[in-house]
Amino acid sequence: MRTTVGIIGAGPAGLLLARLLHNAGIDSVVLETRDRAYVEQRQRAGILEQGTVDVLREAGAAARMDREGIPHDGIELRFDRRRHRVDFPALTGGRSVMVYAQTEVCKDLIALQLAAGGPLLFEAEALAVEDAATENPRVRFRHQGREDVLECDYVVGCDGSWGVARKAVPADVSRVFERTYPFGWLGILADVPPSHDELVYARHDRGFALLSMRSPTVTRAYLQVPAGTDPADWGDEEIWDELDRRLETDDPEWALKRGPITAKSVTPMRSHVHEPMRHGRVFLAGDAAHIVPPTGAKGLNLAVGDVVTFARALVELRETGSDARLEAYSATCLRRVWQAERFSYAMTTMLHRAPEATPFDDRIQLAQLDRITSSRSAEADLAESYTGFPLS
């Protein structure tokens, strides 16, 4: 089997890249280890930056998002029993975000790929990437019980932090920067309308809480818990009670809505960057190259930035003969990645209470939040970072 671009992984990054390449008249093959049902059901991110929304629209992949997604013009910061709304458009020149789950993005892109795209092979396990430093890299994979080889001009690894693409970058040129946090997020889905029409980020002495949504009838919420927590250790009413405590406010008009919890999970928290994001003709994108704690809502959006950068670089090579953008792929992406890491780290450390936190640490967090809510420039920095860094 031969193609121009071999894409490993059918998450949002790999699927969007396939769509962008198809629209540009460049052929690709997507290999995905899991089956279609798994890819369309795995719960991940739910916030799309302005740039991500724009790219999906330009790619012809936004019809359902525009019908069913929930535009958000701000978030609420809650601390010390106070409420403060951050108005995104007023602070960013009109930028906002969209609540639309990653599962739905994948469903839309899969449907487009199967209807009018290149091959998308489910249950096709990538075994190794070979000859990365040559002009003809190869992906060995197993599909339908037999091994095969996908010969490519380029390989893009969108296969996550434990995938095979990253292994194609030699250890002697790789650098890893990471931080593991001593807490995670206990996340729930509940069949109850959201208690607020925008996301609420709450800093509390008992720990962080986030009130979110998946639709007008489904609430998504999170609680900071110790690393390694088993979600089964938390009863449904215990979760609601804890959310009530951490979201407390002096506003008598606000109340937490409770309903049946349909899913529980715990998400570990870590920051991770692999440099470089390219070796030879193998390019890393999304979680294969970087992971951010979810506090800043950056993971999916960073992956989109990576594949947009690659697709534009390949189109420029075809149209002008210049490979300058391809050569600069890693440096271009990493500038954006590190800004997202900075913002995600700042949000995480400002809103979560570390196990060893002292009264001094508590006061510093409150001072940071007070600065944001009393200074337009500080508030604008948060709004600009949250709604997204430029994709170019």
Side-chain angles (χ1 to χ4, degrees), residues 50-220:
Q50 182 70 64
T52 297
V53 170
D54 294 342
V55 166
L56 289 172
R57 287 173 177 158
E58 291 166 7
R64 194 161 68 91
M65 177 195 73
D66 283 332
R67 290 196 309 269
E68 302 177 12
I70 308 172
H72 274 204
D73 287 338
I75 59 172
E76 180 178 305
L77 297 176
R78 193 171 296 189
F79 63 101
D80 205 20
R81 304 184 67 89
R82 296 162 50 190
R83 303 177 64 182
H84 178 85
R85 181 175 184 267
V86 179
D87 185 332
F88 292 157
L91 294 160
T92 64
R95 297 171 68 82
S96 60
V97 299
M98 179 81 75
V99 175
Y100 190 64
Q102 175 176 312
T103 51
E104 307 310 309
V105 174
C106 287
K107 289 175 186 176
D108 297 341
L109 291 168
I110 286 171
L112 288 168
Q113 183 73 4
L114 294 177
L120 166 54
L121 305 182
F122 291 104
E123 299 180 85
E125 180 187 6
L127 303 174
V129 177
E130 301 171 341
D131 301 328
T134 73
E135 294 185 355
N136 300 108
R138 303 151 36 102
V139 183
R140 283 196 300 108
F141 67 99
R142 183 183 294 113
H143 185 235
Q144 296 181 339
R146 67 183 182 87
E147 285 195 19
D148 205 341
V149 174
L150 178 62
E151 297 181 350
C152 320
D153 293 334
Y154 306 93
V155 173
V156 181
C158 306
D159 52 343
S161 58
W162 305 110
V164 301
R166 186 190 292 180
K167 297 175 183 176
V169 183
D172 61 347
V173 302
S174 297
R175 292 186 298 169
V176 173
F177 306 86
E178 60 187 345
R179 175 183 291 272
T180 300
Y181 300 87
F183 43 74
W185 277 11
L186 170 64
I188 64 164
L189 285 171
D191 286 337
V192 60
S195 302
H196 191 53
D197 56 2
E198 293 176 336
L199 274 65
V200 178
Y201 287 77
R203 185 267 171 207
H204 193 276
D205 286 344
R206 296 177 64 89
F208 171 74
L210 172 60
L211 198 57
S212 184
M213 63 196 69
R214 279 295 178 262
S215 75
T217 60
V218 176
T219 287
R220 183 74 159 151

Side-chain angles (χ1 to χ4, degrees), residues 120-360:
L120 166 54
L121 305 182
F122 291 104
E123 299 180 85
E125 180 187 6
L127 303 174
V129 177
E130 301 171 341
D131 301 328
T134 73
E135 294 185 355
N136 300 108
R138 303 151 36 102
V139 183
R140 283 196 300 108
F141 67 99
R142 183 183 294 113
H143 185 235
Q144 296 181 339
R146 67 183 182 87
E147 285 195 19
D148 205 341
V149 174
L150 178 62
E151 297 181 350
C152 320
D153 293 334
Y154 306 93
V155 173
V156 181
C158 306
D159 52 343
S161 58
W162 305 110
V164 301
R166 186 190 292 180
K167 297 175 183 176
V169 183
D172 61 347
V173 302
S174 297
R175 292 186 298 169
V176 173
F177 306 86
E178 60 187 345
R179 175 183 291 272
T180 300
Y181 300 87
F183 43 74
W185 277 11
L186 170 64
I188 64 164
L189 285 171
D191 286 337
V192 60
S195 302
H196 191 53
D197 56 2
E198 293 176 336
L199 274 65
V200 178
Y201 287 77
R203 185 267 171 207
H204 193 276
D205 286 344
R206 296 177 64 89
F208 171 74
L210 172 60
L211 198 57
S212 184
M213 63 196 69
R214 279 295 178 262
S215 75
T217 60
V218 176
T219 287
R220 183 74 159 151
Y222 300 92
L223 287 170
Q224 176 187 341
V225 293
T229 292
D230 184 343
D233 291 341
W234 282 76
D236 291 7
E237 287 307 307
E238 185 181 9
I239 291 172
W240 288 121
D241 289 344
E242 190 63 23
L243 284 167
D244 237 340
R245 281 189 286 265
R246 298 189 191 183
L247 292 161
E248 63 185 3
T249 171
D250 288 332
D251 185 347
E253 297 183 0
W254 187 87
L256 179 68
K257 298 175 184 176
R258 302 185 179 211
I261 293 176
T262 58
K264 300 176 191 175
S265 62
V266 170
T267 301
M269 305 278 282
R270 65 186 181 119
S271 302
H272 180 103
V273 179
H274 180 281
E275 297 185 7
M277 289 176 58
R278 175 204 175 181
H279 177 68
R281 291 202 171 192
V282 175
F283 298 76
L284 305 181
D287 286 0
H290 43 73
I291 293 173
V292 291
T295 325
K298 288 284 166 262
L300 166 61
N301 298 291
L302 274 182
V304 168
D306 295 342
V307 298
V308 168
T309 300
F310 176 82
R312 288 174 177 171
L314 204 57
V315 169
E316 181 176 283
L317 174 62
R318 182 189 62 185
E319 294 181 350
T320 70
S322 171
D323 64 354
R325 280 198 180 192
L326 274 179
E327 290 293 323
Y329 171 82
S330 183
T332 301
C333 291
L334 284 169
R335 281 195 296 272
R336 189 167 181 269
V337 166
W338 277 111
Q339 286 302 314
E341 291 283 358
R342 172 198 62 79
F343 176 65
S344 299
Y345 173 81
M347 288 284 283
T348 300
T349 55
M350 179 175 67
L351 294 167
H352 294 72
R353 196 168 194 276
E356 72 281 3
T358 66
F360 178 87

